[in-house]
Amino acid sequence: MPNIKSAKKRVKVIATKTARNKAYNSALKTTVKKATTAIDTGAADKAEAVRLAMKNIDQAAAKGILHKNTAARRKSALARKLNASA
């Protein structure tokens, strides 16, 4: 455990940011999984599910949770999967 005041604060701040990022990543994975499931099952709202997942991926990239190339790769994979199912 750090003894310096600024180091103690950094530990607290990093813990808060880690929790926030973990929650955001978890929600992101859930929406992507829902979109993937919708594509696999051929649900009527699969295009809407993919649109929502892509929106969340873009938001994560904008907030710095995902790297922009990672976001682009994930969106591309979803789009390929959606187009292949059509």
Side-chain angles (χ1 to χ4, degrees):
M1 190 67 195
N3 293 323
I4 298 166
K5 187 177 181 182
S6 61
K8 288 180 183 177
K9 182 179 179 182
R10 291 307 310 157
V11 168
K12 281 183 174 180
V13 169
I14 289 169
T16 304
K17 287 184 174 184
T18 300
R20 184 180 300 129
N21 287 344
K22 192 171 185 181
Y24 205 92
N25 261 321
S26 177
L28 181 64
K29 286 179 188 176
T30 302
T31 58
V32 171
K33 188 181 273 189
K34 282 181 182 177
T36 305
T37 305
I39 292 169
D40 291 341
T41 59
D45 64 336
K46 64 184 175 183
E48 178 63 23
V50 169
R51 189 192 65 77
L52 185 63
M54 286 188 177
K55 178 183 175 186
N56 285 349
I57 290 170
D58 281 336
Q59 287 174 339
K63 290 181 180 183
I65 293 166
L66 287 179
H67 188 274
K68 66 175 187 169
N69 289 352
T70 303
R73 187 178 67 243
R74 290 187 183 183
K75 286 171 57 180
S76 175
L78 269 176
R80 277 196 315 263
K81 196 163 192 174
L82 179 64
N83 291 336
S85 73

